Amino acid sequence: MNPRPAAPTGLRQRKKAQTRRTIQEQALRLFLSKGYENTTVEEIAAAAGVSHMTFFRHFPTKESVVESDDYDPMIVRLIEQRPQEEDPLTALHRALAQGLAAVYATDREALLVRTRLVLRTPALRARVWENQHATERLFADALAARLRTDATLGTRVLAAASLAALTTALTHWVDSDGTEDLPSLVDQVFLVLRSGNFS
């Protein structure tokens, strides 16, 4: 079982993935130095050494360069791979913890920058609900797939509650300026969900 997104195969796919990563890295660098609102797509493309059109082949909007990642498909795979005897909350917690550990180990700074941008930029924050709604459905369907059933209201509530808990952990992490340990925060919020102790 591999918690990292599958590596692209073939030279063409690897080049596309590298171009996409370069665009995203340069965008984050410019957003940090100039601010999100003050950075144009043209500036990002120039910094990445690609054309304006190449940017849009990889990212349909400026917002998507911050929002786009491979995390959801990775977490869905990890949920589906959890043992069937695990209860759904444990399966979600462990899948998220495993996926997050892989991201945290390799892309911690990028994750911190992206999360800070989303939380502190009105244009991006307004899209959180739409993105979380889509992720909630993916996670609920993955929970159901483990048991070879259809998603129910219960699995959707569990997926939504887990995402809200994860968002709270991420917000707390950003508020600490990344000084707290994010995997530990995720464990803490799931412990609160499981215990029902909200004090």
Side-chain angles (χ1 to χ4, degrees):
M1 183 161 56
N2 180 4
R4 299 294 315 276
T9 56
L11 179 60
R12 182 181 173 85
Q13 286 301 103
R14 286 197 302 273
K15 285 182 70 175
K16 281 179 68 174
Q18 182 54 51
T19 299
R20 182 180 174 84
R21 186 173 184 85
T22 299
I23 292 169
Q24 213 161 24
E25 287 171 351
Q26 293 302 319
L28 292 178
R29 183 184 64 77
L30 287 167
F31 294 155
L32 277 175
S33 63
K34 298 185 60 177
Y36 176 82
E37 300 293 351
N38 296 325
T39 302
T40 66
V41 167
E42 289 79 5
E43 288 170 326
I44 297 168
V50 299
S51 70
H52 183 262
M53 291 305 297
T54 297
F55 175 96
F56 285 115
R57 276 200 293 274
H58 290 276
F59 300 99
T61 63
K62 187 171 82 167
E63 291 87 354
S64 67
V65 81
V66 178
E67 299 167 341
S68 297
D69 58 50
D70 296 317
Y71 303 160
D72 282 2
M74 173 180 62
I75 299 299
V76 164
R77 284 196 305 274
L78 293 173
I79 293 169
E80 291 174 347
Q81 292 168 354
R82 297 306 308 169
Q84 285 196 3
E85 60 269 20
E86 283 183 351
D87 65 88
L89 183 59
T90 299
L92 257 177
H93 177 195
R94 291 185 177 162
L96 282 166
Q98 185 179 358
L100 182 62
V103 173
Y104 197 72
T106 58
D107 295 319
R108 180 188 173 282
E109 286 308 310
L111 179 63
L112 180 61
V113 169
R114 290 176 60 222
T115 306
R116 185 187 291 126
L117 278 168
V118 168
L119 292 174
R120 298 181 180 173
T121 306
L124 296 171
R125 198 168 58 243
R127 296 168 61 95
V128 167
W129 161 249
E130 180 183 338
N131 293 333
Q132 282 208 329
H133 181 66
T135 300
E136 171 206 308
R137 293 203 71 121
L138 285 173
F139 288 6
D141 288 343
L143 284 171
R146 287 176 62 242
L147 305 174
R148 298 177 177 82
T149 63
D150 294 328
T152 64
L153 178 62
T155 50
R156 290 194 60 190
V157 167
L158 182 59
S162 297
L163 278 171
L166 177 62
T167 300
T168 302
L170 285 164
T171 302
H172 191 83
W173 182 53
V174 167
D175 288 345
S176 79
D177 211 21
T179 58
E180 296 210 33
D181 182 64
L182 180 56
S184 297
L185 289 171
V186 171
D187 288 342
Q188 288 175 47
V189 296
F190 272 91
L191 183 61
V192 170
L193 275 184
R194 181 171 295 284
S195 68
N197 181 5
F198 302 108
S199 60

